[in-house]
Amino acid sequence: MTVREALARATAWLEERGVPEAGHDAASLLGQVLGRPRLELPLSYTRELRPAELAAYEALIERRAAREPLQYILGTQAFLDFEVKVDGRVLIPRPETELLAERAVTLGRASGAARVADVGTGSGCLAIAAAMALPDAHVWATDASEDALNLARENAARLGVGDRLTFLRGDFLTPLAEAGVVVDLLVSNPPYIPRGELAGLQEEVRDHEPRKALDGGADGLDAYRALAAGARSVLAPGGHIALELGYGQAAAVRALLATGGFIDIEVSPDFAGISRVMTAHLSTPEGQMGPGTSEARP
Ligand SMILES: C[S@@+](CC[C@H](N)C(=O)[O-])C[C@H]1O[C@@H](n2cnc3c(N)ncnc32)[C@H](O)[C@@H]1O
């Protein structure tokens, strides 16, 4: 069977199984088997596939037909200007989260943040982005999942920032508070899907991504409650927070942050115009200065 024939057959099979963007995925997976970029496949259309290549390709196509996400099968996902390894232990980083990373880094640079925490780090994408963009900062990354932390650790080491990251396992802010860590910038893309909506998610997400990465409790806001209520124990006075939001959650999260002592609360939209990133900073008790001020950093 030639490359062209294998591609046509796999595309038709994925289409039959209802896989979105079947042609793209069939080509990406054949590129993976042949060790060539997807867009170069037309150069080899007439080449005969060896039996081992065909068997390997069919195995990958079967995984995709079972609606395993393409990124898990390929094993990587691009995030900003780097790639993280991904598999079923972690959420696949989304394009919206790049907006959160950019907002957090902008805040971190402007305030001179030297201590950063990423809560619910998953693949480590946000913590790694912060460590890369803020070369003098130390970053603590937490997750409730040891499996996720293992992969995040691997990603950080491979991308050369492992020595400036500390990984802690536990419930949201608890491991930071227990370790006595105080940070200038807190970033988090927490689980925020209301539990009742999980069953209606796309199969790739519902059946393959870690439930713990998605489930935000009954109203989707459990993580925000924990973060807003506990922030004072780990965030320096005047410290900044940057959060990703789920659809329709801006008003509720704003109220939680205000109650938790945050001021200057701002929201940025994503590509679809949905309120997606919320930033704020912790009010300072009178007389105390926040991070980046002359008093905090002589
Ligand atoms: C939406 S994912 C985000 C992953 C990654 N930060 C990203 O943006 O791609 C949420 C992460 O929070 C973690 N998580 C869920 N519940 C948690 C909890 N109670 N305490 C700490 N981490 C938790 C999950 O394991 C998951 O890795």
Side-chain angles (χ1 to χ4, degrees):
M1 186 178 301
T2 64
V3 164
R4 186 203 298 269
E5 286 162 351
L7 200 50
R9 195 174 73 158
T11 301
W13 174 229
L14 293 181
E15 275 171 357
E16 201 180 312
R17 296 292 297 269
V19 172
E21 301 192 49
H24 169 277
D25 290 8
S28 296
L29 293 171
L30 189 49
Q32 171 94 338
V33 169
L34 299 180
R36 306 197 64 164
R38 169 176 62 88
L39 294 173
E40 283 182 17
L41 289 180
L43 302 174
S44 322
Y45 268 169
T46 55
R47 146 146 140 56
E48 287 289 325
L49 287 177
R50 288 189 276 275
E53 289 170 339
L54 191 56
Y57 186 42
E58 282 173 351
L60 298 189
I61 288 295
E62 276 318 305
R63 288 172 65 184
R64 188 68 192 99
R67 305 299 288 268
E68 184 173 344
L70 180 69
Q71 294 91 331
Y72 286 163
I73 306 173
L74 296 175
T76 59
Q77 171 63 38
F79 189 78
L80 298 173
D81 57 354
F82 57 92
E83 278 199 345
V84 285
K85 189 172 160 187
V86 291
D87 59 32
R89 292 175 285 178
V90 297
L91 187 94
I92 299 161
R94 305 295 204 268
E96 306 85 90
T97 307
E98 295 182 328
L99 299 175
L100 170 63
E102 283 163 0
R103 289 290 296 133
V105 162
T106 302
L107 277 176
R109 285 197 179 122
S111 64
R115 303 162 297 179
V116 180
D118 170 25
V119 176
T121 197
S123 62
C125 57
L126 287 165
I128 292 166
M132 285 177 164
L134 306 170
D136 296 326
H138 192 87
V139 183
W140 285 264
T142 77
D143 208 290
S145 158
E146 189 66 43
D147 282 348
L149 288 174
N150 285 334
L151 187 48
R153 221 177 257 121
E154 193 185 320
N155 278 324
R158 193 175 37 79
L159 290 163
V161 292
D163 56 336
R164 285 190 296 113
L165 265 89
T166 301
F167 294 94
L168 299 171
R169 182 178 178 190
D171 189 44
F172 297 124
L173 300 171
T174 309
L176 297 167
E178 282 177 357
V181 174
V182 174
V183 297
D184 310 304
L185 171 64
L186 190 60
V187 54
S188 184
N189 171 24
Y192 55 59
I193 312 283
R195 191 165 296 151
E197 293 178 17
L198 293 173
L201 293 175
Q202 191 190 11
E203 280 172 72
E204 279 82 352
V205 181
R206 185 193 64 207
D207 298 341
H208 295 276
E209 296 202 84
R211 190 182 169 98
K212 209 168 181 45
L214 305 168
D215 186 349
D219 60 359
L221 299 171
D222 281 2
Y224 302 105
R225 280 190 199 92
L227 293 170
R232 269 200 194 279
S233 61
V234 299
L235 198 52
H240 292 268
I241 193 165
L243 300 172
E244 183 167 322
L245 307 176
Y247 179 76
Q249 293 176 331
V253 178
R254 179 187 286 274
L256 289 169
L257 288 185
T259 305
F262 284 91
I263 56 175
D264 295 337
I265 301 171
E266 289 179 15
V267 183
S268 317
D270 65 13
F271 317 103
I274 294 167
S275 295
R276 187 60 73 184
V277 176
M278 186 166 279
T279 58
H281 69 266
L282 204 50
S283 58
T284 44
E286 240 174 275
Q288 264 185 282
M289 304 294 277
T293 63
S294 55
E295 220 170 88
R297 291 195 199 301

